[in-house]
Amino acid sequence: IVRPNDFAYNPMNVRFGAVARHKGNSEVSISGYYDIFTTKVASDLEFMDSFLISDKMITYYNKVSIGSLVEKQRVHFTQFMDFRLPLPSESERKKIAEILSKQEKLIALKEKLIEEMRKLEKFRRDFISNLTHEIRTPLTGILGAVELLSDEEPLNDSDRIAMLKVLKNESIRLDKLAQDMLALARIE
């Protein structure tokens, strides 16, 4: 069972940074293959999030890992817990944790902004695609009517009136589309 703020690591993959804190609000069950531990000082949680996957710790994990084949090497829990690397003082760890926390929040904000920009870009592409379609439809009607009206073979009165009606309706449609675009530009 992993409780909120417990750390878990995979002994075979910790050498590659496979260690993390459970940031959820409820307990979860994981494979018994994983080792679980926590910190004594609650304020160390954020600091340890980064420290445990730092280059210094990865070097340590590689140094203490055992196994006959490189790809099968593992770090046993006793070796993991016996590390003797000098840590900053508790107050320094708190400051580092605050900086790291702010950095994570900024990264999350930046990722959110990037996602919003992607959504806006998709909206823009879709809008242009729809707008192009909306413009082409009345233009096709206008061009077809003009072509029929300019044919060498004259149209009878009812066909000519129908083509003029198409020209008028499609022109009104284009004008309404232009007005809608101007209204959108003013809103923007």
Side-chain angles (χ1 to χ4, degrees), residues 10-153:
N10 178 324
M12 294 273 295
N13 295 324
V14 73
R15 296 177 307 120
F16 310 110
V19 58
R21 175 169 54 108
H22 173 45
K23 296 180 181 179
N25 294 324
S26 58
E27 294 179 349
V28 293
S29 295
I30 62 171
S31 165
Y33 186 73
Y34 290 84
D35 289 322
I36 312 300
F37 63 96
T38 191
T39 62
K40 290 180 182 178
V41 182
S43 61
D44 276 350
L45 294 171
E46 302 250 352
F47 172 78
M48 295 305 275
D49 282 338
S50 295
F51 178 72
L52 291 170
I53 57 172
S54 68
D55 290 341
K56 188 177 267 193
M57 286 305 293
I58 299 295
T59 300
Y60 170 77
Y61 303 145
N62 281 306
K63 181 179 168 188
V64 299
S65 62
I66 58 169
S68 56
L69 299 172
V70 172
E71 62 273 6
K72 300 265 186 186
Q73 291 183 340
R74 66 188 50 77
V75 177
H76 288 285
F77 191 68
T78 53
Q79 295 161 314
F80 184 85
M81 297 310 288
D82 274 350
F83 76 89
R84 299 285 181 245
L85 296 174
L87 292 177
S89 69
E90 188 176 338
S91 65
E92 289 173 324
R93 290 193 310 264
K94 282 182 184 178
K95 287 178 186 174
I96 292 168
E98 287 174 16
I99 292 168
L100 293 173
S101 178
K102 286 178 185 176
Q103 183 180 19
E104 275 193 32
K105 288 175 184 172
L106 288 172
I107 290 169
L109 179 61
K110 185 175 182 179
E111 287 171 349
K112 185 178 176 182
L113 289 173
I114 289 169
E115 183 59 29
E116 289 297 317
M117 289 175 66
R118 285 186 183 129
K119 286 178 184 177
L120 285 172
E121 179 58 24
K122 183 184 180 321
F123 175 79
R124 186 191 69 77
R125 281 193 314 270
D126 290 349
F127 177 78
I128 289 172
S129 175
N130 290 334
L131 180 63
T132 302
H133 174 75
E134 290 296 319
I135 291 173
R136 282 187 179 157
T137 302
L139 280 177
T140 301
I142 291 170
L143 291 171
V146 167
E147 192 174 309
L148 284 173
L149 287 171
S150 61
D151 254 355
E152 290 178 12
E153 196 173 303

